[in-house]
Amino acid sequence: MSENHLLSQNSAPHSDVEEIKRRSNYLRGSLAETLEDRITGSIPEDDNRLMKFHGSYMQDDRDLRNERNKQKLEPAYQFMVRVRAAGGVVTSEQWLMMDRIARQFANGTIRLTTRQSFQLHGVIKWNMKNVITEVNEALLSTLAACGDVNRNVMCNPNPYQSEVHHQVYEWAKKVSNHLDPRTRAYHEIWLDEEKVIDSRDGEEQEPIYGPVYLPRKFKIGIAVPPANDVDVFSQDLGFIAIHEEGRLLGFNVAVGGGMGMSHGDPKTYPQVARVIGFITPEQLLDVAEKTVTIQRDYGDRSVRKHARFKYTIDDRGIEWFVNELEQRLGWKLEKARPYQFEHNGDRYGWVKGSDDNWHFTLFIQNGRVKDEDSYLLMSGLREIAKVHAGDFRLTPNQNLIIGNVPREKKQEIEQIIHDYGLTDGTAYSALRRNSMACVALPTCGLAMAESERYLPTLLDKIELILDEAGLRDEEIVIRMTGCPNGCARPALAEIAFIGKAVGKYNMYLGGGFSGNRLNKLYRENIGEAEILEELRPILNRYAKEREEGEHFGDFVIRAGYVKEVRSGLDFHE
Ligand code: SRM
Ligand code: SF4
């Protein structure tokens, strides 16, 4: 263990979560026993903290909370299970497995997340082992999908779009594997692997993380310009692929982004990552590992709200970080290379890849895959998976690519798409195609307002204004979350709504269309009528007064509705 690590372990009193991790014997705790306990559908809080590292959260159905409380019943405890694959690429067999377990053990829906993972909701305790076993048998994992470790590594999900995309995807997988926790706890608890009494000391068991893991979650994403679909500036550690004539030269490194904040606490804020230099592909793993160890050693372990990497960097300064990184690496970063981002959304419909195969990006509203009376999305995708030898790819914007369709299969897949009316979103407004909403109610314990269940109807109403203004096909990025944690990366949207209370939102304007600038608070605590009242004149003015090619987020700054935010440090100014 490095000296710094020991120092940080000994400084200010640590939060309770640090103690839980320390006592857990590498994430074991008493999980094996509490999962067997048939008296309650819940698990104790200490184990719930550890459960996150295993890819699951205990939740309760908040729609049922009051009623069950009245009836003096315990809350309807259930578990969310997050399944990850770097870059969100899975096979048809893996899709079919997710589809089956969603129907058999969860609430019959699949959630595609903003980090290219799957989520199942409503799994009861007794079914957790079945779910995790099936996931692992299909060669996917839930390990480290949540918890104070590196999370799912994001990248453009289409490895066949070009050779550079392919190489970037391979690097995303390598970073992901390199930073996976090494504890055997997961295999013992869920996969019935024999318990080994391990005589190795802490550093050997978790060579990168050590016995208390990271102070907080850590996120990595790799972007391939001109697309910034992974929102590289929202990541703790972002890599921007630098390519020339179809060749990957290396990556610009960006550090210290993050979206979370708390209402009313100006010490918390979203931040955009800053570009600090250029590295070659072979240097990527070293940079990722050393960056993670710096956060391990210097991140705040006493106040969890302040424990994200962005605060470590902002408190000490970017120069301090670059210096520390270069010292640990033993070499210096090169000067950052030029790059250009054009957008942070997904491109829909059919595209032909570098291998002559076809790829179809479907619009999935807020990432929820389910069957409804008029739209059998889940069944349609199941039928495709049955005949599709290519793959499925979860995009960073909660959409789905049916990837790698050979020419001779394209018609068959197109027929299923047609039969089930699956949509690439062209029938919708460009605003809706560029929308994201987090899960929020009824499963998210932190939600203050609706998000996924509300944004579609709010969009119906905003679309009427767009139609009046002639802006239906204007690409504007809009995002909503049920609380300020920022799971749909709202601080980077041109228009954002962040939940404050049931039916009330803070409204933000002015994010950059390519995910390069934070937005700014415009109105506080407003309901639907005020939202529409506020938006109508701004959208109408934008329609009339925008300059050639000017995006909405840039317009609202030029027109004086909000000030430009250059750094998270100015977010609350
Ligand atoms: Fe998130 C906590 C859902 C992406 C920032 N997030 C949660 C929890 C687990 C609620 C909880 O702690 O009890 C939510 C589960 C809700 C449910 O019922 O499913 C939740 N987060 C999600 C997902 C599913 C949103 C979605 O609709 O897709 C995303 C899953 C990603 C994945 O597959 O790994 C998700 N969360 C994000 C992102 C976006 C990203 O990573 O690109 C962020 C902002 C980026 C960042 O981390 O800065 C994000 N989630 C948070 C935070 C605030 C962290 C902070 O800095 O303070 C929390 C709260 C926490 O950790 O205490 C949180
Ligand atoms: Fe829950 Fe808040 Fe994340 Fe939405 S942003 S899923 S409400 S934690």
Side-chain angles (χ1 to χ4, degrees):
M1 194 87 356
S2 75
E3 201 179 314
N4 286 330
H5 192 191
L6 288 173
L7 271 178
S8 110
Q9 299 310 301
N10 293 332
S11 46
H14 289 168
S15 72
D16 55 339
V17 182
E18 291 302 309
E19 290 312 316
I20 295 169
K21 289 187 278 184
R22 189 191 305 281
R23 284 198 310 267
S24 75
N25 184 20
Y26 295 91
L27 311 180
R28 288 173 178 83
S30 53
L31 262 176
E33 296 84 59
T34 51
L35 285 165
E36 293 293 319
D37 174 5
R38 292 273 163 169
I39 293 168
T40 166
S42 69
I43 57 172
E45 191 43 35
D46 281 16
D47 281 341
N48 191 31
R49 289 284 182 179
L50 300 175
M51 188 77 145
K52 299 177 185 181
F53 291 79
H54 298 252
S56 177
Y57 275 64
M58 185 171 70
Q59 305 182 318
D60 71 295
D61 187 331
R62 295 180 59 183
D63 285 346
L64 305 178
R65 222 181 243 183
N66 286 345
E67 192 47 41
R68 289 185 69 92
N69 198 12
K70 264 193 231 147
Q71 294 184 21
K72 303 212 165 17
L73 293 169
E74 79 169 10
Y77 288 119
Q78 54 181 45
F79 290 81
M80 175 274 272
V81 180
R82 194 177 284 166
V83 179
R84 73 186 170 103
V89 180
V90 299
T91 63
S92 286
E93 291 71 35
Q94 289 169 331
W95 182 274
L96 287 172
M97 177 277 301
M98 289 304 303
D99 172 90
R100 192 180 60 251
I101 62 175
R103 286 177 295 127
Q104 192 177 349
F105 299 120
N107 66 359
T109 75
I110 300 175
R111 188 66 162 52
L112 312 181
T113 77
T114 52
R115 290 196 75 76
Q116 303 179 281
S117 315
F118 293 101
Q119 273 189 194
L120 300 178
H121 290 101
V123 179
I124 54 169
K125 191 166 96 172
W126 343 119
N127 285 331
M128 282 295 292
K129 217 161 167 171
N130 290 325
V131 167
I132 295 188
T133 306
E134 292 223 22
V135 164
N136 280 270
E137 278 172 3
L139 303 181
L140 289 173
S141 184
T142 66
L143 174 64
C146 319
D148 298 342
V149 281
N150 178 51
R151 302 292 190 83
N152 199 30
V153 177
M154 294 174 73
C155 76
N156 180 296
N158 191 344
Y160 297 96
Q161 193 171 317
S162 75
E163 182 50 32
V164 171
H165 287 81
H166 178 68
Q167 289 178 27
V168 165
Y169 170 58
E170 293 301 319
W171 281 112
K173 282 195 289 187
K174 281 185 205 159
V175 180
S176 176
N177 293 338
H178 189 71
L179 296 175
D180 271 351
R182 301 279 180 259
T183 175
R184 301 308 295 170
Y186 184 81
H187 305 78
E188 287 169 17
I189 295 170
W190 304 106
L191 309 175
D192 289 334
E193 227 178 57
E194 214 182 310
K195 247 194 191 134
V196 235
I197 313 269
D198 211 318
S199 58
R200 296 174 301 169
D201 79 9
E203 198 164 356
E204 279 176 80
Q205 285 196 42
E206 286 290 8
I208 297 177
Y209 294 119
V212 279
Y213 295 83
L214 297 180
R216 244 355 204 109
K217 57 179 81 167
F218 193 89
K219 297 181 171 178
I220 299 180
I222 315 182
V224 185
N228 184 20
D229 49 358
V230 302
D231 266 328
V232 75
F233 301 113
S234 73
Q235 312 284 337
D236 292 276
L237 174 59
F239 295 104
I240 301 167
I242 302 297
H243 51 101
E244 215 174 74
E245 290 163 14
R247 260 182 353 109
L248 178 67
L249 305 179
F251 301 92
N252 280 350
V253 181
V255 292
M259 294 285 100
M261 59 169 170
S262 305
H263 287 312
D265 179 357
K267 286 204 228 87
T268 64
Y269 51 85
Q271 181 58 291
V272 277
R274 276 126 295 160
V275 174
I276 56 167
F278 171 86
I279 57 166
T280 65
E282 293 66 37
Q283 294 171 327
L284 184 78
L285 293 185
D286 207 9
V287 168
E289 178 182 319
K290 298 299 186 301
T291 305
V292 163
T293 63
I294 293 174
Q295 166 63 356
R296 177 198 68 194
D297 296 345
Y298 287 97
D300 185 342
R301 288 187 187 264
S302 37
V303 182
R304 279 184 73 78
K305 261 191 186 182
H306 186 254
R308 291 298 295 271
F309 186 43
K310 61 183 173 186
Y311 300 121
T312 313
I313 291 196
D314 289 352
D315 289 353
R316 291 168 187 267
I318 199 84
E319 297 74 23
W320 165 83
F321 172 74
V322 175
N323 204 9
E324 181 70 27
L325 177 66
E326 290 181 341
Q327 252 178 40
R328 291 187 186 208
L329 289 168
W331 48 267
K332 284 196 178 309
L333 308 183
E334 282 177 42
K335 203 162 142 282
R337 307 254 174 116
Y339 64 92
Q340 182 82 40
F341 283 129
E342 287 172 6
H343 56 86
N344 64 350
D346 291 334
R347 308 294 92 177
Y348 294 97
W350 284 107
V351 290
K352 197 172 179 198
S354 59
D355 56 354
D356 278 351
N357 281 350
W358 288 86
H359 315 279
F360 186 74
T361 305
L362 275 168
F363 170 70
I364 313 277
Q365 186 130 283
N366 303 329
R368 183 68 69 177
V369 175
K370 64 177 176 188
D371 278 349
E372 284 173 324
D373 295 344
S374 56
Y375 191 39
L376 300 181
L377 174 61
M378 195 161 173
S379 300
L381 291 173
R382 188 181 317 128
E383 291 314 307
I384 291 177
K386 284 182 193 163
V387 300
H388 174 43
D391 44 39
F392 286 82
R393 308 202 186 121
L394 283 51
T395 80
N397 289 288
Q398 304 174 319
N399 295 306
L400 184 67
I401 301 177
I402 300 161
N404 247 338
V405 181
R407 192 166 38 88
E408 51 293 357
K409 270 276 186 194
K410 187 167 173 253
Q411 211 185 341
E412 188 182 356
I413 304 269
E414 256 172 350
Q415 190 60 49
I416 305 175
I417 290 175
H418 178 261
D419 291 348
Y420 283 85
L422 306 186
T423 176
D424 63 0
T426 36
Y428 295 123
S429 67
L431 181 78
R432 192 179 296 256
R433 289 199 298 273
N434 283 287
S435 67
M436 284 209 284
C438 72
V439 180
L441 293 162
T443 53
C444 178
L446 306 177
M448 299 168 175
E450 294 282 354
S451 183
E452 175 190 339
R453 294 196 296 194
Y454 172 53
L455 185 62
T457 53
L458 178 65
L459 282 172
D460 289 343
K461 293 168 190 165
I462 300 177
E463 276 167 352
L464 297 177
I465 303 177
L466 294 177
D467 287 344
E468 275 163 35
L471 292 173
R472 198 173 175 83
D473 296 322
E474 191 62 38
E475 303 226 33
I476 300 173
V477 175
I478 183 167
R479 295 174 177 175
M480 174 177 274
T481 56
C483 86
N485 282 318
C487 297
R489 300 187 288 273
L492 288 168
E494 297 180 281
I495 306 174
F497 297 101
I498 298 187
K500 265 221 112 174
V502 177
K504 298 282 185 190
Y505 298 84
N506 282 359
M507 175 175 167
Y508 297 77
L509 295 176
F513 181 73
S514 61
N516 57 344
R517 183 181 59 231
L518 295 168
N519 51 26
K520 180 113 194 121
L521 181 63
Y522 179 65
R523 289 286 179 266
E524 223 170 330
N525 212 22
I526 56 176
E528 183 174 286
E530 294 143 297
I531 289 174
L532 297 173
E533 227 168 81
E534 292 292 348
L535 270 178
R536 180 172 286 108
I538 308 179
L539 285 166
N540 277 315
R541 238 187 106 185
Y542 172 60
K544 291 196 195 94
E545 295 176 23
R546 76 193 136 146
E547 289 171 354
E548 177 77 28
E550 187 176 32
H551 285 292
F552 183 74
D554 301 331
F555 170 78
V556 290
I557 291 170
R558 184 171 64 82
Y561 290 105
V562 286
K563 272 204 295 192
E564 177 177 4
V565 179
R566 292 221 173 86
S567 154
L569 296 167
D570 307 328
F571 188 75
H572 299 290
E573 296 270 289

